[in-house]
Amino acid sequence: MSTGVRRRMGVEERRQQLIGVALELFSKRSPDEVSIDEIASRAGISRPLVYHYFPGKLSLYEAALRRAAEDLSSRFAEPHEGPLGSRLRRVMARFFDFVEEHGPGFSALMRGGPAVGSSTTNALVDSVRQAAYEQMLAHMGVVGPAPARLEVVVRSWISLVESTALIWLDGRRVPREELEAKLVQDFAALAAVAAARDEELATLLRGLLKQEPGDGPFTDLAARMISLAQE
């Protein structure tokens, strides 16, 4: 008859376990509602041992945010193949997967939480926004610094995506798939308005739109606008 022996974790393995436990709890409830005792209990260790690996809940929260930020940043990565509209639909689907999986944590980070305002938290949020910005430029085939108006469009759209996700989490009154499609078309609309004042951006958009299929999200937006004007 064999007896079970609990394997002792190494320092880094234990740290990663605690980060995973904290991230899971922060994903379901606001970090303010999660205690160190609960994290310790879920990890199967004592409260003092948690403090052996992390000075306090704030440092553990920031470590969990760092992992979440890396995950969220990766959601904007997409092979640069096929129509831009289809690529952005897949990106938005993965983004909302994350929002749905980590709703309270995402909301707490954007609206207020124990680490909001700290230099670490601000840097993490900025890193996600910058990663999204750089991925969007890559999707558009822009190499080097973006034209001023295009930078305004992309960064404004990223802010719109964030705020839309927060509104959706507050009751989910609009179907998620509808919002994903809307945000893709919002990008096209913002870019088109800016392109009307910038020939360089207009040339870039013309090249991208030529690749769009007849049933793509950008073409659908154009058809809806034409139909609205004719009514």
Side-chain angles (χ1 to χ4, degrees):
M1 185 174 179
S2 61
T3 57
V5 178
R6 179 177 294 181
R7 181 176 63 85
R8 184 173 182 175
M9 291 186 181
V11 173
E12 185 57 27
E13 186 178 8
R14 178 65 78 183
R15 280 179 56 85
Q16 293 304 316
Q17 182 215 19
L18 287 171
I19 291 171
V21 168
L23 185 57
E24 181 183 0
L25 292 172
F26 294 149
S27 296
K28 295 174 181 174
R29 304 203 310 278
S30 167
D32 290 323
E33 300 173 358
V34 178
S35 68
I36 288 291
D37 287 333
E38 185 175 4
I39 294 170
S41 176
R42 184 69 65 89
I45 62 176
S46 66
R47 175 190 175 95
L49 194 54
V50 175
Y51 287 109
H52 175 72
Y53 294 100
F54 294 94
K57 188 169 75 169
L58 178 59
S59 63
L60 181 52
Y61 178 57
E62 288 177 345
L65 284 181
R66 187 172 291 106
R67 182 184 290 184
E70 293 170 355
D71 182 3
L72 184 54
S73 296
S74 71
R75 307 288 173 124
F76 286 86
E78 174 77 19
H80 300 160
E81 302 171 355
L84 178 61
S86 299
R87 279 183 262 156
L88 293 187
R89 279 302 304 267
R90 292 191 290 271
V91 167
M92 285 296 94
R94 287 196 299 272
F95 176 84
F96 272 89
D97 281 344
F98 179 93
V99 172
E100 193 158 27
E101 292 164 10
H102 304 283
F106 178 86
S107 181
L109 173 61
M110 296 301 174
R111 287 177 169 155
V116 169
S118 75
S119 58
T120 300
T121 304
N122 291 339
L124 287 171
V125 173
D126 287 344
S127 73
V128 173
R129 290 170 176 157
Q130 184 62 24
Y133 173 72
E134 292 172 359
Q135 285 288 347
M136 287 299 296
L137 294 185
H139 282 305
M140 300 183 74
V142 176
V143 179
R149 291 184 181 85
L150 179 58
E151 180 175 1
V152 170
V153 166
V154 175
R155 294 196 186 278
S156 298
W157 180 74
I158 291 169
S159 296
L160 177 61
V161 171
E162 290 178 7
S163 59
T164 298
L166 288 172
I167 293 170
W168 178 73
L169 283 171
D170 188 15
R172 308 189 185 197
R173 291 172 294 172
V174 179
R176 172 184 151 174
E177 293 77 10
E178 180 181 328
L179 287 182
E180 291 171 7
K182 172 190 174 298
L183 285 167
V184 173
Q185 294 181 335
D186 285 340
F187 178 77
L190 287 169
V193 170
R197 296 172 172 81
D198 188 318
E199 185 55 36
E200 181 183 4
L201 181 53
T203 300
L204 175 63
L205 281 183
R206 289 189 195 102
L208 292 170
L209 291 174
K210 286 179 181 178
Q211 304 173 29
E212 292 294 317
D215 59 350
F218 294 167
T219 309
D220 176 65
L221 173 61
R224 289 176 183 271
M225 293 298 293
I226 293 171
S227 174
L228 183 63
Q230 291 176 341
E231 289 181 359

